[in-house]
Amino acid sequence: MSNILVLGGTTEASALVATLAPLLAERGDVAVLSYAGRVATPKAQPIPVRVGGFGGVDGLVEYLGAHNVTHLVDATHPFAARMSANAVVAAERAGVAHIALTRPAWVPIAGDRWTHVADIDGAVAALAGPPRRVMLALGRMHVDAFAVQPQHDYLLRFVDVPDRPPALPHHHLVVDRGPFDVQGDRRLMEAHAIEIVVCKNAGGTGASAKLDAARALGLPVIMIDRPALPARREVHAVADVLRWHDHRADRGV
Ligand SMILES: NC(=O)c1ccc[n+]([C@@H]2O[C@H](COP(=O)([O-])OP(=O)(O)OC[C@H]3O[C@@H](n4cnc5c(N)ncnc54)[C@H](OP(=O)(O)O)[C@@H]3O)[C@@H](O)[C@H]2O)c1
């Protein structure tokens, strides 16, 4: 019997548990999905959910042992670097099989006008200069870092209404949950006369509409590259996770 812990908070994790859920009973396996707890009303899921941090590597090792987890699937966002690094170390220490389900990074195509930056600070620095109308497609966590470039008009899009207003003197907030489509994103950018887009290289299809819209409108994009992660087994498809699991389960690991 397998006991699978899925680290989630992404459309990939939701797709994985949707595929996994109907298979569990017939196989006698169990699975739990873990959320960090950043979103007030997460999507309903077909398997049990736990919410909140584990307490670093030590806490995760303890959780894996206490819950007899046999397989750890890291399906977190490519920018959830701390969780992913902790998962690699904790799985190793606890002797639990580990795999990451990720989206391939986006790569520019003809018509894209991307400037690559290494991190949030790089994106903030790249916005030095005269006032512009900026779409900050980053989620809520790092928005306040842009307060040192207060000259711009920022368009923000969050999943939830924030507890306190963002620390940006000129901003407009849209509360909406993806996936978004190209026509909608194009209309949004046009309605706000956006001149430049800032985003993370999340990859996948759920968040790529803004890039298609920016290309169609000829807008420049400041692209924040992915953080470095420790070496790990990584796949891009739900089916590959199931194959990996079944192969290991057949061998009793
Ligand atoms: N970063 C993004 O751009 C982004 C975008 C979309 C969705 N998300 C999702 O939002 C969540 C948090 O992302 P983040 O960038 O804040 O991560 P992070 O910086 O790597 O993680 C910070 C801490 O949050 C806790 N944590 C993160 N993901 C968790 C999970 N799935 N289950 C339980 N605890 C978790 C862990 O706390 P402990 O050390 O106490 O265990 C971790 O050390 C993740 O689930 C991620 O998939 C992130």
Side-chain angles (χ1 to χ4, degrees):
M1 177 194 138
S2 299
N3 189 333
I4 306 164
L5 176 63
V6 179
L7 304 174
T10 57
T11 46
E12 287 70 24
S14 298
L16 173 64
V17 302
T19 306
L20 205 53
L23 305 174
L24 293 171
E26 70 188 51
R27 298 176 176 204
D29 294 339
V30 291
V32 168
L33 175 64
S34 176
Y35 281 132
R38 305 275 194 272
V39 174
T41 48
K43 198 170 169 260
Q45 296 291 353
I47 65 169
V49 168
R50 68 160 298 284
V51 181
F54 297 95
V57 171
D58 291 344
L60 183 53
V61 171
E62 197 181 308
Y63 181 96
L64 296 173
H67 292 82
N68 299 312
V69 173
T70 56
H71 295 74
L72 177 62
V73 182
D74 179 358
T76 57
H77 192 272
F79 279 74
R82 179 139 42 107
M83 184 71 259
S84 289
N86 289 356
V88 170
V89 179
E92 169 76 29
R93 265 177 46 192
V96 166
H98 170 265
I99 198 167
L101 171 63
T102 67
R103 327 157 178 182
W106 291 317
V107 288
I109 63 170
D112 281 328
R113 297 174 58 203
W114 295 5
T115 300
H116 290 271
V117 295
D119 49 25
I120 297 285
D121 290 346
V124 171
L127 284 181
R132 281 185 285 179
R133 302 187 61 83
V134 182
M135 180 173 181
L136 220 47
L138 294 175
R140 116 187 102 90
M141 278 188 294
H142 299 289
V143 158
D144 287 356
F146 290 83
V148 296
Q149 305 283 9
Q151 69 275 32
H152 304 302
D153 277 295
Y154 291 99
L155 172 63
L156 312 173
R157 181 162 60 189
F158 295 171
V159 176
D160 294 310
V161 178
D163 300 336
R164 54 177 182 80
L168 302 171
H170 313 293
H171 71 264
H172 179 89
L173 173 62
V174 175
V175 176
D176 201 356
R177 187 184 295 238
F180 303 105
D181 64 59
V182 187
Q183 290 317 319
D185 274 6
R186 186 175 171 155
R187 271 196 301 275
L188 185 67
M189 289 176 193
E190 284 177 325
H192 291 271
I194 293 302
E195 296 170 276
I196 186 164
V197 177
V198 181
C199 71
K200 297 173 177 175
N201 195 333
T205 52
S208 61
K210 58 181 172 274
L211 297 177
D212 297 333
R215 187 184 313 113
L217 294 170
L219 298 181
V221 172
I222 296 175
M223 180 62 74
I224 305 172
D225 289 332
R226 292 180 170 200
L229 289 173
R232 57 186 187 164
R233 183 193 297 264
E234 220 173 88
V235 292
H236 298 311
V238 166
D240 291 331
V241 177
L242 298 183
R243 253 193 298 280
W244 162 84
H245 167 264
D246 292 350
H247 178 66
R248 296 193 64 104
D250 286 348
R251 290 162 43 217
V253 285

